[in-house]
Amino acid sequence: MKYISTRGRAPALNFEQVLLTGLASDGGLYVPESLPKFSPEDIAGMAALDYPQLAQKIIAPFVDDCIPADDLRGIIEDTYAEFRHNAVAPMVQIGANQWVLELFHGPTLAFKDFALQLLGRLLDYVLERKHQKVVILGATSGDTGSAAIEGCKHCKNIDIFILHPHNRVSDVQRRQMTTVHGDNIHNLAVEGNFDDCQAMVKASFGNQGFLADERSLVAVNSINWARIMAQIVYYFYAAVALGAPARAVAFSVPTGNFGDIFAGYLARQMGLPIERLIIATNRNDVLHRALTNASYGRQPLEHSLSPSMDITVSSNFERLLFDLYDRDGARIAQLMKEFDDGAIQFSDTAMQRARALFSSHCVSDEQTCEQIASTWRECEYLLDPHSAVGVRAALRSDIGPATPVITLATAHPAKFPDAIKQSGLSQVVALPLHLQDLFERDERMDVVPNDLAAVQAFISANIKA
Ligand SMILES: *Cc1c(COP(=O)(O)O)cnc(C)c1O
């Protein structure tokens, strides 16, 4: 399997190379040159598989001959053994044709564990084999940082540095990062905001000279292909559980960077009968506006009750554009330049293609709270604010009663107690057992100035692996 850049000018890579790369050298994102296809008979056969077995089936063609099948199976089994539910991704019915796919049974209680638990293990495997060591550098406003730290804490060949804005992430989210201890784990609390953190990460990837002895940086955000790959699996898992291939389903996906929902798009291209993919956004609605007005342009960031979807640019959208524009890399490079200069106007063909599969819905904080309250009233099921955005969009869509609509529940409600309170509910949501002593654990972090040179000096002085 070869991976090519959406901007058409970077070299094609194999799986191992793409795993160790962030952005392509031409500024694009890597995508598979072609996709594995599953027939209706193949999909019917998936009903007999448990989650790790299904993951093996879906992931193996992407990994190709870079990792022997038995080793890959071991990595996948270890990964999903970390999840605290036998089904790994169980489903709950909350309405006549409404379902919730619970993706929060991993170590950090958010769906990012599905990809980052696997990514850490895949990285360590290939690094061990190559006798190579790397540095993971990432910025987080919440969920990515803790999932990356949990995913890499046992990796012998990785030092991990996560930047978060000092005093601007929730207590639960901060403690999920700072209470994980290891020589190779570094939490940097930057005296600045999330954009400052992200800008320093970007600048560091652009010029890696501050790293000594041939180390390089690896990205753990969703531009890393392996993250998208891991997320394809649960679309198959859920659809098959509800009757695919005989019955088509729809998915509603709480969306920020378009990584999770892009995995759903790929599942459909691989043969899964998905009738519709609903893009559910909070009021940072760049994608909803794009689909509604055929124009993709940024607006200022707004803070919402669903902070993990607070974005101004939806980086993985470029991967969809690549297909909408017949995989014409030169055209995508030009469009992304127009985006940097202001906004993209879509062609009629591109827009028709997008609207044939995707619809979108923008959900306010007030509607998010209404949804948390009404789902609780109707079935005593507690949604976190991100999942509530998804359920609200699912209920507002025009999908017929014969099609099951599956909302991805991307986080556990205990991560966002304030939103639950704001919804007028008095429930105290307990953290799952493995995190119940979270507030008694020791925290370890370093507060650093909002200064690139200082952050880079800290990193180069603390590389240990
Ligand atoms: C990251 C995240 C999202 C958004 O996922 P994307 O892949 O960026 O679209 C939604 N909900 C939660 C809880 C998240 O952590």
Side-chain angles (χ1 to χ4, degrees):
M1 169 91 55
K2 283 272 170 222
Y3 293 86
I4 56 173
S5 165
T6 51
R7 300 197 190 174
R9 291 179 50 193
L13 302 181
N14 68 15
F15 179 77
E16 181 181 294
Q17 293 164 323
V18 89
L19 184 67
L20 295 167
T21 312
L23 279 183
S25 58
D26 59 4
L29 282 80
Y30 277 103
V31 290
E33 190 172 45
S34 63
L35 289 171
K37 295 279 193 309
F38 294 102
S39 69
E41 295 72 45
D42 294 333
I43 295 171
M46 293 174 184
L49 306 181
D50 65 18
Y51 196 92
Q53 289 168 332
L54 178 64
Q56 169 88 5
K57 197 166 194 71
I58 305 282
I59 289 171
F62 290 109
V63 171
D64 208 9
D65 54 7
C66 284
I67 300 178
D70 283 346
D71 291 356
L72 181 63
R73 183 172 308 115
I75 291 170
I76 289 173
E77 280 170 3
D78 285 355
T79 297
Y80 296 106
E82 291 285 336
F83 284 61
R84 285 166 179 82
H85 193 295
N86 279 343
V88 181
M91 262 193 293
V92 174
Q93 188 167 15
I94 58 162
N97 68 332
Q98 298 291 330
W99 302 77
V100 165
L101 177 63
E102 294 187 340
L103 300 176
F104 50 69
H105 295 283
T108 73
L109 314 182
F111 85 96
K112 290 186 172 74
D113 290 327
F114 276 83
L116 285 163
Q117 284 291 319
L118 182 64
L119 181 64
R121 288 174 172 82
L122 288 170
L123 282 171
D124 216 34
Y125 177 92
V126 304
L127 292 169
E128 188 75 19
R129 194 170 65 183
K130 285 162 68 86
H131 306 293
Q132 193 186 331
K133 294 176 192 297
V134 298
V135 174
I136 282 179
L137 175 61
T140 190
S141 56
D143 293 334
T144 304
S146 55
I149 288 171
E150 279 290 341
C152 298
K153 67 182 179 187
H154 297 308
C155 298
K156 294 190 290 290
N157 302 298
I158 299 174
D159 286 293
I160 177 162
F161 295 84
I162 298 292
L163 276 47
H164 72 262
H166 190 34
N167 291 331
R168 295 191 201 193
V169 299
S170 80
D171 289 347
V172 174
Q173 288 179 321
R174 187 192 67 251
R175 285 183 159 272
Q176 282 188 302
M177 298 190 280
T178 58
T179 60
V180 183
H181 302 316
D183 275 358
N184 62 337
I185 299 169
H186 299 279
N187 282 289
L188 279 67
V190 175
E191 292 173 315
N193 61 29
F194 175 60
D195 285 344
D196 298 326
C197 297
Q198 236 178 354
M200 290 198 272
V201 169
K202 203 167 174 204
S204 301
F205 271 85
N207 183 354
Q208 304 188 12
F210 68 100
L211 294 171
D213 45 87
E214 302 188 337
R215 304 273 172 134
S216 59
L217 295 178
V218 169
V220 286
N221 55 10
S222 56
I223 62 170
N224 190 309
W225 161 255
R227 278 189 58 179
I228 308 282
M229 173 188 79
Q231 292 167 196
I232 298 171
V233 179
Y234 48 69
Y235 285 91
F236 276 89
Y237 190 66
V240 167
L242 291 184
R247 179 159 77 154
V249 299
F251 286 95
S252 176
V253 187
T255 305
N257 264 320
F258 206 76
D260 204 4
I261 195 165
F262 184 70
Y265 165 79
L266 293 177
R268 183 170 188 267
Q269 302 301 96
M270 290 161 67
L272 191 65
I274 297 179
E275 185 179 302
R276 187 148 289 274
L277 287 167
I278 302 164
I279 299 168
T281 74
N282 65 27
R283 72 196 128 99
N284 295 284
D285 61 346
V286 59
L287 291 167
H288 175 61
R289 283 184 285 111
L291 230 67
T292 311
N293 311 326
S295 167
Y296 181 57
R298 67 186 96 198
Q299 279 185 357
L301 186 83
E302 299 208 38
H303 291 283
S304 78
L305 284 179
S306 41
S308 300
M309 290 147 57
D310 290 348
I311 47 89
T312 58
V313 180
S314 215
S315 43
N316 282 290
F317 194 53
E318 180 170 341
R319 286 182 157 126
L320 179 68
L321 288 178
F322 188 54
D323 279 5
L324 298 180
Y325 283 88
D326 294 315
R327 308 202 123 203
D328 178 348
R331 186 78 196 277
I332 298 303
Q334 179 210 334
L335 287 173
M336 294 319 292
K337 190 174 174 311
E338 287 168 22
F339 179 71
D340 287 339
D341 296 341
I344 302 175
Q345 307 303 322
F346 295 121
S347 70
D348 290 346
T349 317
M351 221 45 232
Q352 277 162 12
R353 286 178 181 170
R355 285 177 179 152
L357 176 61
F358 293 95
S359 57
S360 64
H361 200 77
C362 164
V363 179
S364 68
D365 276 358
E366 197 186 346
Q367 293 165 336
T368 304
C369 287
E370 272 170 30
Q371 193 59 53
I372 292 173
S374 74
T375 301
W376 175 259
R377 267 197 318 273
E378 284 160 23
C379 41
E380 296 198 10
Y381 186 78
L382 200 54
L383 294 165
D384 100 287
H386 303 81
S387 312
V389 167
V391 168
R392 177 74 170 204
L395 292 170
R396 287 292 176 277
S397 72
D398 57 357
I399 291 163
T403 305
V405 188
I406 303 162
T407 296
L408 305 197
T410 50
H412 191 290
K415 281 189 105 160
F416 302 97
D418 292 347
I420 308 296
K421 223 177 282 163
Q422 241 172 283
S423 307
L425 303 181
S426 53
Q427 278 69 19
V428 179
V429 198
L431 285 163
L433 277 180
H434 73 283
L435 286 172
Q436 276 188 354
D437 63 345
L438 186 66
F439 282 83
E440 280 104 65
R441 295 183 194 168
D442 277 346
E443 285 195 82
R444 210 179 290 166
M445 66 180 194
D446 290 277
V447 180
V448 293
N450 182 10
D451 174 66
L452 181 63
V455 167
Q456 293 185 339
F458 183 96
I459 293 171
S460 64
N462 284 284
I463 290 173
K464 294 215 180 61

